[in-house]
Amino acid sequence: MSAPKKKKKCRRYSFEYLTYGFIQSPTNKYLPMCFLCQTTMSNETMKLSRLSEHLGKKHSDKTGADVSYFQSLKENFENRSTITTMLKASQQRMDKGLEASYELLLLIAMSGKPHSIGEQLIKPAVGEVLKTVMGKDPNPELSSTALSNDSVARRIDNMSTDVDDKLCSELSNTHFTIQLDESTFRDSKALLLC
């Protein structure tokens, strides 16, 4: 019979590792990362002696630094702008523009006006309101708000299809009765009434 395999000990990050310049790795919380040189270490190096050794060998000028110094570096590291944060902010702005576009085209559809009114009147009016009242350039927000004639028509069709699908789904899951009646027009054409 073979001996059972020894389980590897998985160390967890401790706040005191910050005194040696280490934080949790952004990609794996079980690995330490030196934010001075952006090096991710193995879980086995999460011993204070190994972290101290790394700080002494690689960053000897920071050996006697205070915890507040490392804390400020950590905050700067976490607040830096990355491609992911920039893309996320841009995506949120586009999502808000899309949501506003749907809200405006619903108003256009309910008014019964031509679909071109969105591009001709509403978009410039909203831009003027943002510029006058808020005092800021409305271009980033308005550029992601599609109100052209074709966009409005396509999205109204999408919304009507969605309402139709929801109604069909509701009717297919609900029990109800239907009364049918047959009638005829004057020219002897049959008409079925529900």
Side-chain angles (χ1 to χ4, degrees), residues 3 6 13 21 57 72 76 78 88 98 147 165 180:
K6 190 176 180 181
Y13 178 80
K57 285 184 178 178
S72 66
N76 290 340
E78 289 171 347
K88 189 175 182 182
L98 183 64
L147 291 176
D165 290 344
L180 296 172

Side-chain angles (χ1 to χ4, degrees), residues 4-17:
K5 288 186 177 180
K6 190 176 180 181
K7 254 184 143 178
K8 270 181 132 180
K9 184 176 181 181
C10 188
R11 292 176 172 27
R12 296 197 182 271
Y13 178 80
S14 173
F15 184 73
E16 64 184 304
Y17 297 162

Side-chain angles (χ1 to χ4, degrees), residues 124-138 142:
V126 169
E128 282 300 316
V129 168
L130 285 175
K131 190 166 54 173
T132 304
V133 175
M134 303 295 233
K136 65 178 190 173
D137 181 30
L142 282 180

Side-chain angles (χ1 to χ4, degrees), residues 122-189:
I122 295 177
K123 202 169 187 176
V126 169
E128 282 300 316
V129 168
L130 285 175
K131 190 166 54 173
T132 304
V133 175
M134 303 295 233
K136 65 178 190 173
D137 181 30
N139 287 336
E141 286 80 10
L142 282 180
S143 65
S144 62
T145 307
L147 291 176
S148 67
N149 187 28
D150 294 338
S151 296
V152 170
R154 185 177 57 251
R155 289 182 178 164
I156 287 174
D157 288 342
N158 289 347
M159 286 183 1
S160 67
T161 303
D162 186 50
V163 168
D164 199 26
D165 290 344
K166 284 182 181 178
L167 179 63
C168 288
S169 173
E170 191 69 32
L171 290 176
S172 67
N173 295 327
T174 306
H175 296 288
F176 57 91
T177 58
I178 297 178
Q179 181 179 353
L180 296 172
D181 194 13
E182 187 178 351
S183 181
T184 54
F185 287 116
R186 280 185 238 165
D187 53 354
S188 298
K189 290 185 180 176

Side-chain angles (χ1 to χ4, degrees), residues 15-130:
F15 184 73
E16 64 184 304
Y17 297 162
L18 187 61
T19 57
Y20 302 104
F22 282 86
I23 60 171
Q24 283 180 320
S25 172
T27 56
N28 186 345
K29 65 180 181 178
Y30 294 110
L31 299 178
M33 184 183 89
C34 175
F35 58 81
L36 298 170
C37 62
Q38 310 289 311
T39 304
T40 302
M41 311 291 245
S42 66
N43 188 267
E44 288 82 31
T45 60
M46 239 192 246
K47 294 180 184 175
L48 293 180
S49 60
R50 295 231 177 128
L51 299 178
S52 175
E53 180 183 334
H54 173 83
L55 183 66
K57 285 184 178 178
K58 302 277 184 169
H59 314 288
S60 56
D61 56 327
K62 310 279 193 274
T63 303
D66 192 31
V67 178
S68 60
Y69 170 74
F70 288 118
Q71 183 69 36
S72 66
L73 284 178
K74 177 186 174 194
E75 289 170 6
N76 290 340
F77 177 79
E78 289 171 347
N79 295 333
R80 76 194 188 287
S81 74
T82 61
I83 292 175
T84 308
T85 57
M86 288 187 289
L87 289 175
K88 189 175 182 182
S90 173
Q91 182 64 37
Q92 286 176 341
R93 191 170 42 249
M94 300 250 326
D95 289 346
K96 288 187 183 244
L98 183 64
E99 184 179 340
S101 174
Y102 271 100
E103 294 291 334
L104 288 173
L105 71 90
L106 182 61
L107 294 173
I108 293 170
M110 289 183 345
S111 73
K113 302 284 184 198
H115 296 162
S116 59
I117 197 170
E119 196 74 27
Q120 293 172 352
L121 179 66
I122 295 177
K123 202 169 187 176
V126 169
E128 282 300 316
V129 168
L130 285 175

